[in-house]
Amino acid sequence: MSTELPPVAPEVLAEAVESLTARLRKKLDDATAGCADAATRETDGSVTFRFGEDAVVTLRPAPAGTVTAAGQATCTCLLAPRCLHRAAALGAAPLADAAPPEPEPESVPESAGSAAAGTERAPAAASAEAEAEAEGASDEPAESVPALTAAQLGAAAALWHAAAEALAAGVTAGGAVVQAELLRAAHTARLAGLPRAEAAALRVVRGLRAARERRTAHRLGDLTGSFRELLHTAGVLASGTAGPALTGTSRRAYTPGGSLQVQGLCREPVLSATGYGGVVTHLLAPDGSRYSISDVRPGGLARARGAGRASVALGGATLDHAGLARGGLRIVGATVSAEGRLGAGRGVKATPLPGAAWTDGPAAPLFARPAAEAVAELLAAPAEAAETETALIGCDVTVVGAAGDHLLVREAVPHAPLLRLLPAHPHPELPHTENLRRIASYPGLRLRVLGRPDLDRAATLRPVAVGPVPGAQYTLRLPEDWLGRADLGYDRLQGEHFPAPDAATEAAGEAGPVPAADAPDPLADAPLWRVRRLLETGVAGGRRAVAEAARGTAAQAACGPLRRAGLTAAADLATALAAEADRRPRDAFGRLADPSPDGYAWAWLAAATHLAAAERSLVAASWTATPNGATPAAP
């Protein structure tokens, strides 16, 4: 069994790789493989790696458990600290977060003014919540942001070049050296005050690592999206035209919110790929403003599972997160971040209040309008905000049945399309998947769903909580103390929570005439998948793979269906990407020279950006009601 390695600060790893000679860099990937299995944890908390008899690398993490300085990694060989052993050991360890989780403010000066609306845009997934906690990054614009400095422009240009080189290399050639260049550029961006750019670079590096290590959680589509975000952020910053949403802020500011009264909506587990875990409880004010209280710390899955009943650290409130999700709070002296996150300052006082069902109080309007209207509002938001945060929406649905890895339901509105329900978090140790599988065994079941729309999939909702539909006969039968809802990440639905089997036959007809296996998917059926495959081929195999895939008749075979479907812009961009990938410049003596990665990166980014916009239009159309209740056809 391998020893758990301490996280390493990105700049420490980048410096270790940069100090190697060109000959040693070529050996780094092979030296790094297997290091984790050979590590040994000592009694003093350090971790040692033995490379033969004369080379022993020792990592001595700081009290927080992270290797944050070069002196905390030593080697006994003669070449140390510029040795292959030390760089390999550091490369085998997981990457630490860019910044530690932001501590709650003890107090907020009165001169800071009152909080504005206090509304929150919930994160796109639980892992995004954990990343925001760990990295401390925020996309909220400041009131006034000066023009980018020369240092910021230089850092952005360096990050763009490193990202372009990594894209041209792809996963196959994106080893430790390529990753170290990205980490070095990310650290420079951090020092220049560009936290969003740094966070985007770290996501790409983690994705490259996951892909090269063939981790089960890796998805090539996610890495493709990370590359698109990094190139877009770095490119716009380097041009000097970026707004505050792309620069970001490294600290989350809390301002006085006065007196608040909030009701619990639901809670969901938080689990990050960087080892953070916890819970976030969503709250609503009487005017519909959204707030949240989160408890995210190092600990991974164990902490995510246990935090659902952890005490709420807010103004001496005697509630845990389970009680708060079905209860309420009256808060005096509240401190609120721009995202609606409530702080636990020294002057904050909180008193528990009785809870309210979803049918009463501020939660009722969430289920009062069709889901398509709520999704259209989210899709109309700025792209930078929509990529990172998605609010919870509510709807009443009828269960159709299981189809593959998802559950098909139909919203209880006239001519509604089929919706797909996917687990909000697919980890097998969390009950999301098990709960959805049990719900799928009750066709015709009426269900009230609170979830987060997946804006990358057609008509897809990731539910975080469910409840019975008021007045429906064939619906959930939850205990009274659950107050009419079940948190799918913590509560496990049992047979006693469902209606009697003899009522199933009569209600099954409400599911509608469309078989689950025949549910259309305009996003998957559209010929845009050819562009997506070309972009993902570039991420996986690099520039050379795109050039090989587009040679001969393959380019015409790929672009023909796009043009026939009227997607001429997509066809033109794919053609331009293939041409740029296959461009082979020559020097003054007629010899083949390595092409600059910039032109290829711009061509790839243009195609990726267009694809994201086209797919976003298809996602919007998939939520739209049609006269016969079918999902709109793909172009």
PDB file of all heavy atoms in Angstrom, residues 440-478:
ATOM      1  N   ALA A 440     -35.847   5.536  -9.740  1.00  0.00           N
ATOM      2  CA  ALA A 440     -36.118   5.059 -11.093  1.00  0.00           C
ATOM      3  C   ALA A 440     -36.990   3.814 -11.112  1.00  0.00           C
ATOM      4  O   ALA A 440     -37.625   3.510 -12.137  1.00  0.00           O
ATOM      5  CB  ALA A 440     -34.806   4.784 -11.827  1.00  0.00           C
ATOM      6  N   SER A 441     -37.028   3.070 -10.023  1.00  0.00           N
ATOM      7  CA  SER A 441     -37.831   1.851  -9.978  1.00  0.00           C
ATOM      8  C   SER A 441     -39.304   2.127  -9.704  1.00  0.00           C
ATOM      9  O   SER A 441     -40.079   1.179  -9.540  1.00  0.00           O
ATOM     10  CB  SER A 441     -37.268   0.908  -8.907  1.00  0.00           C
ATOM     11  OG  SER A 441     -37.348   1.497  -7.620  1.00  0.00           O
ATOM     12  N   TYR A 442     -39.702   3.391  -9.677  1.00  0.00           N
ATOM     13  CA  TYR A 442     -41.106   3.758  -9.446  1.00  0.00           C
ATOM     14  C   TYR A 442     -41.602   4.632 -10.604  1.00  0.00           C
ATOM     15  O   TYR A 442     -41.773   5.845 -10.444  1.00  0.00           O
ATOM     16  CB  TYR A 442     -41.261   4.505  -8.124  1.00  0.00           C
ATOM     17  CG  TYR A 442     -41.059   3.647  -6.903  1.00  0.00           C
ATOM     18  CD1 TYR A 442     -39.779   3.394  -6.410  1.00  0.00           C
ATOM     19  CD2 TYR A 442     -42.150   3.076  -6.247  1.00  0.00           C
ATOM     20  CE1 TYR A 442     -39.586   2.599  -5.297  1.00  0.00           C
ATOM     21  CE2 TYR A 442     -41.965   2.281  -5.125  1.00  0.00           C
ATOM     22  CZ  TYR A 442     -40.681   2.038  -4.656  1.00  0.00           C
ATOM     23  OH  TYR A 442     -40.504   1.256  -3.559  1.00  0.00           O
ATOM     24  N   PRO A 443     -41.841   4.051 -11.792  1.00  0.00           N
ATOM     25  CA  PRO A 443     -42.374   4.844 -12.911  1.00  0.00           C
ATOM     26  C   PRO A 443     -43.716   5.463 -12.544  1.00  0.00           C
ATOM     27  O   PRO A 443     -44.560   4.837 -11.893  1.00  0.00           O
ATOM     28  CB  PRO A 443     -42.533   3.814 -14.034  1.00  0.00           C
ATOM     29  CG  PRO A 443     -41.627   2.690 -13.654  1.00  0.00           C
ATOM     30  CD  PRO A 443     -41.630   2.645 -12.160  1.00  0.00           C
ATOM     31  N   GLY A 444     -43.901   6.694 -12.967  1.00  0.00           N
ATOM     32  CA  GLY A 444     -45.131   7.411 -12.653  1.00  0.00           C
ATOM     33  C   GLY A 444     -45.089   8.166 -11.347  1.00  0.00           C
ATOM     34  O   GLY A 444     -46.030   8.918 -11.036  1.00  0.00           O
ATOM     35  N   LEU A 445     -44.010   8.011 -10.568  1.00  0.00           N
ATOM     36  CA  LEU A 445     -43.896   8.704  -9.284  1.00  0.00           C
ATOM     37  C   LEU A 445     -43.826  10.209  -9.507  1.00  0.00           C
ATOM     38  O   LEU A 445     -43.071  10.693 -10.348  1.00  0.00           O
ATOM     39  CB  LEU A 445     -42.646   8.229  -8.548  1.00  0.00           C
ATOM     40  CG  LEU A 445     -42.408   8.811  -7.154  1.00  0.00           C
ATOM     41  CD1 LEU A 445     -43.387   8.201  -6.163  1.00  0.00           C
ATOM     42  CD2 LEU A 445     -40.962   8.566  -6.701  1.00  0.00           C
ATOM     43  N   ARG A 446     -44.627  10.958  -8.768  1.00  0.00           N
ATOM     44  CA  ARG A 446     -44.564  12.420  -8.803  1.00  0.00           C
ATOM     45  C   ARG A 446     -43.511  12.882  -7.806  1.00  0.00           C
ATOM     46  O   ARG A 446     -43.472  12.413  -6.668  1.00  0.00           O
ATOM     47  CB  ARG A 446     -45.923  13.026  -8.468  1.00  0.00           C
ATOM     48  CG  ARG A 446     -47.038  12.645  -9.428  1.00  0.00           C
ATOM     49  CD  ARG A 446     -46.828  13.267 -10.805  1.00  0.00           C
ATOM     50  NE  ARG A 446     -46.677  14.708 -10.737  1.00  0.00           N
ATOM     51  CZ  ARG A 446     -47.705  15.555 -10.642  1.00  0.00           C
ATOM     52  NH1 ARG A 446     -48.955  15.106 -10.600  1.00  0.00           N
ATOM     53  NH2 ARG A 446     -47.477  16.849 -10.599  1.00  0.00           N
ATOM     54  N   LEU A 447     -42.677  13.813  -8.252  1.00  0.00           N
ATOM     55  CA  LEU A 447     -41.506  14.184  -7.469  1.00  0.00           C
ATOM     56  C   LEU A 447     -41.263  15.677  -7.574  1.00  0.00           C
ATOM     57  O   LEU A 447     -41.370  16.262  -8.653  1.00  0.00           O
ATOM     58  CB  LEU A 447     -40.287  13.415  -7.999  1.00  0.00           C
ATOM     59  CG  LEU A 447     -39.066  13.248  -7.111  1.00  0.00           C
ATOM     60  CD1 LEU A 447     -39.416  12.399  -5.898  1.00  0.00           C
ATOM     61  CD2 LEU A 447     -37.937  12.584  -7.904  1.00  0.00           C
ATOM     62  N   ARG A 448     -40.948  16.300  -6.472  1.00  0.00           N
ATOM     63  CA  ARG A 448     -40.504  17.694  -6.453  1.00  0.00           C
ATOM     64  C   ARG A 448     -38.990  17.683  -6.342  1.00  0.00           C
ATOM     65  O   ARG A 448     -38.416  17.121  -5.404  1.00  0.00           O
ATOM     66  CB  ARG A 448     -41.139  18.447  -5.293  1.00  0.00           C
ATOM     67  CG  ARG A 448     -40.650  19.867  -5.121  1.00  0.00           C
ATOM     68  CD  ARG A 448     -41.660  20.725  -4.386  1.00  0.00           C
ATOM     69  NE  ARG A 448     -42.763  21.108  -5.261  1.00  0.00           N
ATOM     70  CZ  ARG A 448     -43.711  21.988  -4.928  1.00  0.00           C
ATOM     71  NH1 ARG A 448     -43.704  22.554  -3.734  1.00  0.00           N
ATOM     72  NH2 ARG A 448     -44.668  22.291  -5.774  1.00  0.00           N
ATOM     73  N   VAL A 449     -38.326  18.338  -7.312  1.00  0.00           N
ATOM     74  CA  VAL A 449     -36.867  18.250  -7.429  1.00  0.00           C
ATOM     75  C   VAL A 449     -36.257  19.637  -7.293  1.00  0.00           C
ATOM     76  O   VAL A 449     -36.726  20.605  -7.904  1.00  0.00           O
ATOM     77  CB  VAL A 449     -36.464  17.630  -8.786  1.00  0.00           C
ATOM     78  CG1 VAL A 449     -34.948  17.598  -8.932  1.00  0.00           C
ATOM     79  CG2 VAL A 449     -37.037  16.231  -8.930  1.00  0.00           C
ATOM     80  N   LEU A 450     -35.203  19.707  -6.500  1.00  0.00           N
ATOM     81  CA  LEU A 450     -34.376  20.910  -6.411  1.00  0.00           C
ATOM     82  C   LEU A 450     -32.987  20.525  -6.882  1.00  0.00           C
ATOM     83  O   LEU A 450     -32.360  19.630  -6.302  1.00  0.00           O
ATOM     84  CB  LEU A 450     -34.327  21.435  -4.979  1.00  0.00           C
ATOM     85  CG  LEU A 450     -33.557  22.739  -4.756  1.00  0.00           C
ATOM     86  CD1 LEU A 450     -34.296  23.907  -5.379  1.00  0.00           C
ATOM     87  CD2 LEU A 450     -33.324  22.987  -3.269  1.00  0.00           C
ATOM     88  N   GLY A 451     -32.518  21.137  -7.962  1.00  0.00           N
ATOM     89  CA  GLY A 451     -31.240  20.718  -8.515  1.00  0.00           C
ATOM     90  C   GLY A 451     -30.530  21.814  -9.265  1.00  0.00           C
ATOM     91  O   GLY A 451     -30.996  22.946  -9.377  1.00  0.00           O
ATOM     92  N   ARG A 452     -29.403  21.432  -9.808  1.00  0.00           N
ATOM     93  CA  ARG A 452     -28.530  22.356 -10.520  1.00  0.00           C
ATOM     94  C   ARG A 452     -28.477  21.926 -11.983  1.00  0.00           C
ATOM     95  O   ARG A 452     -28.015  20.826 -12.292  1.00  0.00           O
ATOM     96  CB  ARG A 452     -27.141  22.317  -9.891  1.00  0.00           C
ATOM     97  CG  ARG A 452     -26.158  23.331 -10.415  1.00  0.00           C
ATOM     98  CD  ARG A 452     -24.910  23.354  -9.555  1.00  0.00           C
ATOM     99  NE  ARG A 452     -25.183  23.959  -8.263  1.00  0.00           N
ATOM    100  CZ  ARG A 452     -25.131  23.314  -7.103  1.00  0.00           C
ATOM    101  NH1 ARG A 452     -24.822  22.038  -7.067  1.00  0.00           N
ATOM    102  NH2 ARG A 452     -25.383  23.939  -5.970  1.00  0.00           N
ATOM    103  N   PRO A 453     -28.969  22.738 -12.905  1.00  0.00           N
ATOM    104  CA  PRO A 453     -28.919  22.342 -14.320  1.00  0.00           C
ATOM    105  C   PRO A 453     -27.488  22.207 -14.811  1.00  0.00           C
ATOM    106  O   PRO A 453     -26.634  23.043 -14.509  1.00  0.00           O
ATOM    107  CB  PRO A 453     -29.665  23.479 -15.035  1.00  0.00           C
ATOM    108  CG  PRO A 453     -29.619  24.635 -14.096  1.00  0.00           C
ATOM    109  CD  PRO A 453     -29.575  24.061 -12.714  1.00  0.00           C
ATOM    110  N   ASP A 454     -27.252  21.148 -15.551  1.00  0.00           N
ATOM    111  CA  ASP A 454     -25.948  20.924 -16.169  1.00  0.00           C
ATOM    112  C   ASP A 454     -25.965  21.616 -17.523  1.00  0.00           C
ATOM    113  O   ASP A 454     -26.574  21.132 -18.477  1.00  0.00           O
ATOM    114  CB  ASP A 454     -25.704  19.421 -16.332  1.00  0.00           C
ATOM    115  CG  ASP A 454     -24.274  19.114 -16.772  1.00  0.00           C
ATOM    116  OD1 ASP A 454     -23.631  20.007 -17.365  1.00  0.00           O
ATOM    117  OD2 ASP A 454     -23.809  17.994 -16.527  1.00  0.00           O
ATOM    118  N   LEU A 455     -25.307  22.754 -17.619  1.00  0.00           N
ATOM    119  CA  LEU A 455     -25.346  23.564 -18.832  1.00  0.00           C
ATOM    120  C   LEU A 455     -24.459  23.021 -19.943  1.00  0.00           C
ATOM    121  O   LEU A 455     -24.389  23.618 -21.015  1.00  0.00           O
ATOM    122  CB  LEU A 455     -24.952  25.005 -18.500  1.00  0.00           C
ATOM    123  CG  LEU A 455     -25.824  25.698 -17.452  1.00  0.00           C
ATOM    124  CD1 LEU A 455     -25.387  27.134 -17.265  1.00  0.00           C
ATOM    125  CD2 LEU A 455     -27.299  25.621 -17.815  1.00  0.00           C
ATOM    126  N   ASP A 456     -23.801  21.889 -19.704  1.00  0.00           N
ATOM    127  CA  ASP A 456     -23.002  21.244 -20.743  1.00  0.00           C
ATOM    128  C   ASP A 456     -23.718  20.053 -21.358  1.00  0.00           C
ATOM    129  O   ASP A 456     -23.172  19.399 -22.245  1.00  0.00           O
ATOM    130  CB  ASP A 456     -21.658  20.780 -20.171  1.00  0.00           C
ATOM    131  CG  ASP A 456     -20.772  21.936 -19.754  1.00  0.00           C
ATOM    132  OD1 ASP A 456     -20.847  22.987 -20.413  1.00  0.00           O
ATOM    133  OD2 ASP A 456     -20.022  21.796 -18.771  1.00  0.00           O
ATOM    134  N   ARG A 457     -24.926  19.753 -20.887  1.00  0.00           N
ATOM    135  CA  ARG A 457     -25.685  18.616 -21.387  1.00  0.00           C
ATOM    136  C   ARG A 457     -27.095  19.056 -21.737  1.00  0.00           C
ATOM    137  O   ARG A 457     -27.625  20.012 -21.167  1.00  0.00           O
ATOM    138  CB  ARG A 457     -25.748  17.478 -20.348  1.00  0.00           C
ATOM    139  CG  ARG A 457     -24.395  16.858 -20.008  1.00  0.00           C
ATOM    140  CD  ARG A 457     -24.558  15.879 -18.851  1.00  0.00           C
ATOM    141  NE  ARG A 457     -23.301  15.282 -18.459  1.00  0.00           N
ATOM    142  CZ  ARG A 457     -22.895  14.076 -18.839  1.00  0.00           C
ATOM    143  NH1 ARG A 457     -23.664  13.351 -19.636  1.00  0.00           N
ATOM    144  NH2 ARG A 457     -21.738  13.587 -18.427  1.00  0.00           N
ATOM    145  N   ALA A 458     -27.705  18.336 -22.646  1.00  0.00           N
ATOM    146  CA  ALA A 458     -29.061  18.665 -23.073  1.00  0.00           C
ATOM    147  C   ALA A 458     -30.063  18.292 -21.991  1.00  0.00           C
ATOM    148  O   ALA A 458     -30.090  17.148 -21.528  1.00  0.00           O
ATOM    149  CB  ALA A 458     -29.396  17.923 -24.370  1.00  0.00           C
ATOM    150  N   ALA A 459     -30.884  19.268 -21.579  1.00  0.00           N
ATOM    151  CA  ALA A 459     -31.997  19.063 -20.644  1.00  0.00           C
ATOM    152  C   ALA A 459     -31.605  18.150 -19.496  1.00  0.00           C
ATOM    153  O   ALA A 459     -32.259  17.139 -19.234  1.00  0.00           O
ATOM    154  CB  ALA A 459     -33.204  18.505 -21.396  1.00  0.00           C
ATOM    155  N   THR A 460     -30.539  18.488 -18.803  1.00  0.00           N
ATOM    156  CA  THR A 460     -30.019  17.647 -17.726  1.00  0.00           C
ATOM    157  C   THR A 460     -30.009  18.430 -16.426  1.00  0.00           C
ATOM    158  O   THR A 460     -29.569  19.581 -16.375  1.00  0.00           O
ATOM    159  CB  THR A 460     -28.598  17.162 -18.054  1.00  0.00           C
ATOM    160  OG1 THR A 460     -28.632  16.385 -19.261  1.00  0.00           O
ATOM    161  CG2 THR A 460     -28.043  16.302 -16.937  1.00  0.00           C
ATOM    162  N   LEU A 461     -30.494  17.774 -15.385  1.00  0.00           N
ATOM    163  CA  LEU A 461     -30.565  18.378 -14.059  1.00  0.00           C
ATOM    164  C   LEU A 461     -29.850  17.456 -13.086  1.00  0.00           C
ATOM    165  O   LEU A 461     -30.020  16.229 -13.133  1.00  0.00           O
ATOM    166  CB  LEU A 461     -32.024  18.562 -13.638  1.00  0.00           C
ATOM    167  CG  LEU A 461     -32.320  19.404 -12.400  1.00  0.00           C
ATOM    168  CD1 LEU A 461     -31.944  20.856 -12.638  1.00  0.00           C
ATOM    169  CD2 LEU A 461     -33.792  19.298 -12.029  1.00  0.00           C
ATOM    170  N   ARG A 462     -29.058  18.038 -12.216  1.00  0.00           N
ATOM    171  CA  ARG A 462     -28.376  17.268 -11.169  1.00  0.00           C
ATOM    172  C   ARG A 462     -29.036  17.598  -9.832  1.00  0.00           C
ATOM    173  O   ARG A 462     -28.737  18.624  -9.220  1.00  0.00           O
ATOM    174  CB  ARG A 462     -26.883  17.590 -11.151  1.00  0.00           C
ATOM    175  CG  ARG A 462     -26.168  17.166 -12.438  1.00  0.00           C
ATOM    176  CD  ARG A 462     -24.672  17.338 -12.353  1.00  0.00           C
ATOM    177  NE  ARG A 462     -24.008  16.934 -13.595  1.00  0.00           N
ATOM    178  CZ  ARG A 462     -23.557  15.698 -13.845  1.00  0.00           C
ATOM    179  NH1 ARG A 462     -23.701  14.770 -12.932  1.00  0.00           N
ATOM    180  NH2 ARG A 462     -22.966  15.423 -14.991  1.00  0.00           N
ATOM    181  N   PRO A 463     -29.948  16.743  -9.372  1.00  0.00           N
ATOM    182  CA  PRO A 463     -30.715  17.065  -8.163  1.00  0.00           C
ATOM    183  C   PRO A 463     -29.873  16.944  -6.902  1.00  0.00           C
ATOM    184  O   PRO A 463     -29.058  16.034  -6.764  1.00  0.00           O
ATOM    185  CB  PRO A 463     -31.840  16.032  -8.183  1.00  0.00           C
ATOM    186  CG  PRO A 463     -31.295  14.882  -8.958  1.00  0.00           C
ATOM    187  CD  PRO A 463     -30.358  15.470  -9.971  1.00  0.00           C
ATOM    188  N   VAL A 464     -30.083  17.873  -5.976  1.00  0.00           N
ATOM    189  CA  VAL A 464     -29.435  17.816  -4.670  1.00  0.00           C
ATOM    190  C   VAL A 464     -30.431  17.481  -3.573  1.00  0.00           C
ATOM    191  O   VAL A 464     -30.034  17.052  -2.486  1.00  0.00           O
ATOM    192  CB  VAL A 464     -28.714  19.141  -4.355  1.00  0.00           C
ATOM    193  CG1 VAL A 464     -27.608  19.399  -5.369  1.00  0.00           C
ATOM    194  CG2 VAL A 464     -29.678  20.307  -4.332  1.00  0.00           C
ATOM    195  N   ALA A 465     -31.737  17.673  -3.848  1.00  0.00           N
ATOM    196  CA  ALA A 465     -32.764  17.344  -2.859  1.00  0.00           C
ATOM    197  C   ALA A 465     -34.071  17.072  -3.594  1.00  0.00           C
ATOM    198  O   ALA A 465     -34.319  17.596  -4.683  1.00  0.00           O
ATOM    199  CB  ALA A 465     -32.948  18.483  -1.852  1.00  0.00           C
ATOM    200  N   VAL A 466     -34.911  16.235  -2.993  1.00  0.00           N
ATOM    201  CA  VAL A 466     -36.215  15.908  -3.561  1.00  0.00           C
ATOM    202  C   VAL A 466     -37.248  15.933  -2.453  1.00  0.00           C
ATOM    203  O   VAL A 466     -36.924  15.858  -1.263  1.00  0.00           O
ATOM    204  CB  VAL A 466     -36.219  14.529  -4.256  1.00  0.00           C
ATOM    205  CG1 VAL A 466     -35.272  14.510  -5.447  1.00  0.00           C
ATOM    206  CG2 VAL A 466     -35.850  13.421  -3.261  1.00  0.00           C
ATOM    207  N   GLY A 467     -38.516  16.020  -2.859  1.00  0.00           N
ATOM    208  CA  GLY A 467     -39.603  16.010  -1.897  1.00  0.00           C
ATOM    209  C   GLY A 467     -40.893  15.577  -2.560  1.00  0.00           C
ATOM    210  O   GLY A 467     -40.960  15.413  -3.785  1.00  0.00           O
ATOM    211  N   PRO A 468     -41.943  15.378  -1.793  1.00  0.00           N
ATOM    212  CA  PRO A 468     -43.236  15.002  -2.369  1.00  0.00           C
ATOM    213  C   PRO A 468     -43.907  16.189  -3.054  1.00  0.00           C
ATOM    214  O   PRO A 468     -43.686  17.347  -2.691  1.00  0.00           O
ATOM    215  CB  PRO A 468     -44.032  14.527  -1.157  1.00  0.00           C
ATOM    216  CG  PRO A 468     -43.435  15.273  -0.005  1.00  0.00           C
ATOM    217  CD  PRO A 468     -41.978  15.437  -0.321  1.00  0.00           C
ATOM    218  N   VAL A 469     -44.719  15.899  -4.058  1.00  0.00           N
ATOM    219  CA  VAL A 469     -45.504  16.922  -4.740  1.00  0.00           C
ATOM    220  C   VAL A 469     -46.795  17.151  -3.958  1.00  0.00           C
ATOM    221  O   VAL A 469     -47.543  16.196  -3.705  1.00  0.00           O
ATOM    222  CB  VAL A 469     -45.816  16.504  -6.183  1.00  0.00           C
ATOM    223  CG1 VAL A 469     -46.736  17.523  -6.851  1.00  0.00           C
ATOM    224  CG2 VAL A 469     -44.523  16.353  -6.976  1.00  0.00           C
ATOM    225  N   PRO A 470     -47.078  18.364  -3.550  1.00  0.00           N
ATOM    226  CA  PRO A 470     -48.300  18.625  -2.771  1.00  0.00           C
ATOM    227  C   PRO A 470     -49.553  18.191  -3.530  1.00  0.00           C
ATOM    228  O   PRO A 470     -49.726  18.506  -4.706  1.00  0.00           O
ATOM    229  CB  PRO A 470     -48.271  20.144  -2.567  1.00  0.00           C
ATOM    230  CG  PRO A 470     -46.841  20.527  -2.720  1.00  0.00           C
ATOM    231  CD  PRO A 470     -46.271  19.580  -3.730  1.00  0.00           C
ATOM    232  N   GLY A 471     -50.410  17.438  -2.851  1.00  0.00           N
ATOM    233  CA  GLY A 471     -51.683  17.011  -3.435  1.00  0.00           C
ATOM    234  C   GLY A 471     -51.613  15.772  -4.292  1.00  0.00           C
ATOM    235  O   GLY A 471     -52.656  15.239  -4.692  1.00  0.00           O
ATOM    236  N   ALA A 472     -50.420  15.277  -4.622  1.00  0.00           N
ATOM    237  CA  ALA A 472     -50.293  14.085  -5.455  1.00  0.00           C
ATOM    238  C   ALA A 472     -50.472  12.828  -4.613  1.00  0.00           C
ATOM    239  O   ALA A 472     -50.024  12.758  -3.463  1.00  0.00           O
ATOM    240  CB  ALA A 472     -48.942  14.066  -6.159  1.00  0.00           C
ATOM    241  N   GLN A 473     -51.113  11.819  -5.201  1.00  0.00           N
ATOM    242  CA  GLN A 473     -51.327  10.566  -4.488  1.00  0.00           C
ATOM    243  C   GLN A 473     -50.100   9.663  -4.575  1.00  0.00           C
ATOM    244  O   GLN A 473     -49.705   9.056  -3.579  1.00  0.00           O
ATOM    245  CB  GLN A 473     -52.551   9.843  -5.073  1.00  0.00           C
ATOM    246  CG  GLN A 473     -53.861  10.583  -4.879  1.00  0.00           C
ATOM    247  CD  GLN A 473     -54.208  10.758  -3.414  1.00  0.00           C
ATOM    248  OE1 GLN A 473     -54.044   9.851  -2.597  1.00  0.00           O
ATOM    249  NE2 GLN A 473     -54.693  11.941  -3.063  1.00  0.00           N
ATOM    250  N   TYR A 474     -49.525   9.570  -5.755  1.00  0.00           N
ATOM    251  CA  TYR A 474     -48.399   8.671  -5.957  1.00  0.00           C
ATOM    252  C   TYR A 474     -47.114   9.483  -5.897  1.00  0.00           C
ATOM    253  O   TYR A 474     -46.542   9.901  -6.893  1.00  0.00           O
ATOM    254  CB  TYR A 474     -48.531   7.976  -7.317  1.00  0.00           C
ATOM    255  CG  TYR A 474     -47.591   6.801  -7.496  1.00  0.00           C
ATOM    256  CD1 TYR A 474     -47.629   5.713  -6.635  1.00  0.00           C
ATOM    257  CD2 TYR A 474     -46.663   6.779  -8.535  1.00  0.00           C
ATOM    258  CE1 TYR A 474     -46.779   4.638  -6.795  1.00  0.00           C
ATOM    259  CE2 TYR A 474     -45.800   5.713  -8.713  1.00  0.00           C
ATOM    260  CZ  TYR A 474     -45.862   4.639  -7.834  1.00  0.00           C
ATOM    261  OH  TYR A 474     -45.013   3.573  -8.000  1.00  0.00           O
ATOM    262  N   THR A 475     -46.664   9.726  -4.678  1.00  0.00           N
ATOM    263  CA  THR A 475     -45.488  10.554  -4.446  1.00  0.00           C
ATOM    264  C   THR A 475     -44.758  10.060  -3.214  1.00  0.00           C
ATOM    265  O   THR A 475     -45.157   9.041  -2.606  1.00  0.00           O
ATOM    266  CB  THR A 475     -45.882  12.034  -4.295  1.00  0.00           C
ATOM    267  OG1 THR A 475     -44.706  12.848  -4.272  1.00  0.00           O
ATOM    268  CG2 THR A 475     -46.712  12.270  -3.045  1.00  0.00           C
ATOM    269  N   LEU A 476     -43.693  10.725  -2.824  1.00  0.00           N
ATOM    270  CA  LEU A 476     -42.885  10.296  -1.690  1.00  0.00           C
ATOM    271  C   LEU A 476     -43.667  10.392  -0.382  1.00  0.00           C
ATOM    272  O   LEU A 476     -44.550  11.240  -0.223  1.00  0.00           O
ATOM    273  CB  LEU A 476     -41.612  11.137  -1.598  1.00  0.00           C
ATOM    274  CG  LEU A 476     -40.564  10.956  -2.706  1.00  0.00           C
ATOM    275  CD1 LEU A 476     -39.419  11.937  -2.504  1.00  0.00           C
ATOM    276  CD2 LEU A 476     -40.038   9.533  -2.743  1.00  0.00           C
ATOM    277  N   ARG A 477     -43.304   9.546   0.554  1.00  0.00           N
ATOM    278  CA  ARG A 477     -43.876   9.551   1.906  1.00  0.00           C
ATOM    279  C   ARG A 477     -42.721   9.703   2.893  1.00  0.00           C
ATOM    280  O   ARG A 477     -42.193   8.740   3.410  1.00  0.00           O
ATOM    281  CB  ARG A 477     -44.634   8.252   2.181  1.00  0.00           C
ATOM    282  CG  ARG A 477     -45.711   7.918   1.157  1.00  0.00           C
ATOM    283  CD  ARG A 477     -46.945   8.792   1.383  1.00  0.00           C
ATOM    284  NE  ARG A 477     -48.076   8.327   0.579  1.00  0.00           N
ATOM    285  CZ  ARG A 477     -48.396   8.792  -0.612  1.00  0.00           C
ATOM    286  NH1 ARG A 477     -47.646   9.749  -1.149  1.00  0.00           N
ATOM    287  NH2 ARG A 477     -49.425   8.338  -1.280  1.00  0.00           N
ATOM    288  N   LEU A 478     -42.324  10.923   3.124  1.00  0.00           N
ATOM    289  CA  LEU A 478     -41.164  11.192   3.968  1.00  0.00           C
ATOM    290  C   LEU A 478     -41.561  11.398   5.417  1.00  0.00           C
ATOM    291  O   LEU A 478     -42.692  11.820   5.711  1.00  0.00           O
ATOM    292  CB  LEU A 478     -40.422  12.432   3.449  1.00  0.00           C
ATOM    293  CG  LEU A 478     -39.898  12.353   2.013  1.00  0.00           C
ATOM    294  CD1 LEU A 478     -39.192  13.654   1.646  1.00  0.00           C
ATOM    295  CD2 LEU A 478     -38.969  11.163   1.824  1.00  0.00           C
TER     296      LEU A 478
END
